[in-house]
Amino acid sequence: MNKVTKMFSTKQGVVTLSTPFFTLMHEQQQVEATYKPNNYNGWGMCKTFNAIEVSNFTQADAELFASTADSKLRIQGQAA
């Protein structure tokens, strides 16, 4: 697991960014963005980005990431 460098609290849950790391599959450093909803029941979502893409990641970016992730993880028509 990668060390967390930034954590953002959003309406839907918590978004964290890892420290940049290298992988054998990518030439550029990577950062893992993880979303865990407020009603965390052992699940969440993560996505890997090139570190340069998220170098200026802000609260607004975290809100958008959480909203998008939450909409994809929840069954439509079910209560949040």
Side-chain angles (χ1 to χ4, degrees):
M1 178 155 190
N2 299 308
K3 185 177 176 184
V4 173
T5 58
K6 291 184 182 179
M7 184 178 291
F8 299 91
S9 181
T10 69
K11 287 191 313 186
Q12 289 88 5
V14 176
V15 174
T16 56
L17 297 179
S18 71
T19 56
F21 59 92
F22 284 103
T23 67
L24 294 174
M25 298 171 60
H26 299 93
E27 294 179 10
Q28 297 180 8
Q29 282 188 316
Q30 303 294 295
V31 171
E32 187 174 83
T34 304
Y35 163 69
K36 292 190 179 174
N38 290 327
N39 59 347
Y40 176 68
N41 291 321
W43 63 274
M45 183 184 128
C46 66
K47 181 173 178 167
T48 305
F49 296 94
N50 287 334
I52 194 99
E53 294 176 44
V54 293
S55 61
N56 295 321
F57 199 83
T58 64
Q59 182 68 36
D61 297 321
E63 294 284 350
L64 179 61
F65 183 77
S67 177
T68 303
D70 201 70
S71 70
K72 294 186 183 304
L73 292 172
R74 296 197 185 274
I75 297 171
Q76 295 301 320
Q78 298 295 315

